[in-house]
Amino acid sequence: MRIFKTIAGLMATLAMSVFCVVLAEDGPLEYNRVTSSDIKWGPIPSMPKGTQTTLLHGNPGKPGLYTVRLKVPANSKMPVHSHPDERVRVIISGTYYSALGDKVDASKLLSFPPGTFSHVPPKVWQFAETRDEEVIFEITGIGPTGIDYLNPEDDPRKQK
């Protein structure tokens, strides 16, 4: 019995060694480092007017891990919408208000003050708003991502 445990341990060590070599061969290990001065904000047509975004890691339109940061102006409303991917959100500044549901109901809005972490399930209807201050938050998910509006007329990409 002891010989089997020894062999199993050696095989596990060998497998981990091969895995580490394969990872090392993928390219040099480097940090993906983005400082505040590196951030370049740009408009995001799928969100309320004035919302800006920046890409921190990955590509949200392709399979794989991505992280984006959003800057949403004060007094913005996000109509009922959903996302195809599971994601996590961290509020950096301002207070964000959001709720799950297929009908906007202000009494259901929860406040997400700075520092709040939240998990957002995939394909669930939700709505949100900002109030008297700009809100900056970060989203990390596994792409590809997107946004679907319950009412197509609410989609800012279709408005003129």
Side-chain angles (χ1 to χ4, degrees):
M1 182 69 141
R2 184 176 179 155
I3 188 77
F4 291 118
K5 287 183 180 179
T6 303
I7 291 172
L10 288 172
M11 290 180 73
T13 302
L14 178 61
M16 286 305 294
S17 298
V18 169
F19 179 71
C20 290
V21 168
V22 169
L23 285 178
E25 289 177 359
D26 282 346
L29 294 176
E30 296 178 5
Y31 283 113
N32 176 11
R33 183 174 176 265
V34 180
T35 66
S36 296
S37 62
D38 296 327
I39 291 177
K40 306 285 187 266
W41 294 100
I44 180 166
S46 62
M47 299 282 288
K49 187 175 181 172
T51 300
Q52 296 183 25
T53 188
T54 189
L55 178 64
L56 300 175
H57 179 76
N59 182 337
K62 293 184 177 181
L65 184 67
Y66 71 88
T67 300
V68 295
R69 195 172 286 177
L70 295 171
K71 187 187 313 186
V72 185
N75 304 307
S76 294
K77 303 272 187 195
M78 273 300 301
V80 177
H81 65 282
S82 69
H83 305 283
D85 58 318
E86 181 173 20
R87 46 181 52 193
V88 294
R89 174 176 59 202
V90 177
I91 307 302
I92 296 170
S93 65
T95 299
Y96 191 65
Y97 297 86
S98 184
L100 301 179
D102 62 0
K103 190 174 189 178
V104 174
D105 179 349
S107 70
K108 291 184 179 179
L109 289 169
L110 298 174
S111 66
F112 294 77
T116 302
F117 167 92
S118 61
H119 168 259
V120 183
K123 301 177 183 173
V124 296
W125 295 117
Q126 56 191 290
F127 53 94
E129 67 181 46
T130 60
R131 294 189 179 160
D132 61 350
E133 61 188 341
E134 173 183 85
V135 175
I136 297 175
F137 60 94
E138 218 163 81
I139 296 170
T140 297
I142 306 292
T145 190
I147 186 168
D148 297 305
Y149 287 91
L150 180 61
N151 181 354
E153 291 81 40
D154 288 337
D155 189 336
R157 296 168 290 197
K158 296 180 181 178
Q159 298 172 2
K160 294 181 181 182

